[in-house]
Amino acid sequence: FYVFSTYKVYGPHMAVMWGKLDALAELTGPNHFFVPRDAVPYKFELGGTSHESCAGWLAVGDYLCFLAGKAPITAAGGSVSRATVQKALKE
């Protein structure tokens, strides 16, 4: 699994965690004791969703497209490709 802070890559103050379901299910989440161990991703959510941060994180995709000279993706409901991210970060 991977974990990183989005604010270190142009994003808002929040974190992102990605991993395979079986790997994440084995981890003990920092949530309450009564949250089942297999309740992924709920066991890692420590409170309400920060809607402002989520909107900010979505805007990072458009920003990376801008840096790479491509059209914004959020209006079309698309996603940022690995090539777009690599191009944006190299320039």
Side-chain angles (χ1 to χ4, degrees), residues 8-75:
K8 293 182 180 175
V9 290
Y10 312 111
H13 288 163
M14 60 190 294
V16 173
M17 184 162 87
W18 177 90
K20 292 186 177 183
L21 183 60
D22 56 341
L24 294 174
E26 292 180 21
L27 298 175
T28 300
N31 213 324
H32 298 288
F33 69 91
F34 53 81
V35 176
R37 190 174 174 92
D38 61 349
V40 179
Y42 179 68
K43 69 179 180 178
F44 297 105
E45 297 172 4
L46 297 175
T49 302
S50 169
H51 299 286
E52 298 84 359
S53 293
C54 292
W57 180 239
L58 290 174
V60 170
D62 285 341
Y63 179 65
L64 292 174
C65 286
F66 168 77
L67 292 177
K70 297 193 176 231
I73 55 153
T74 54

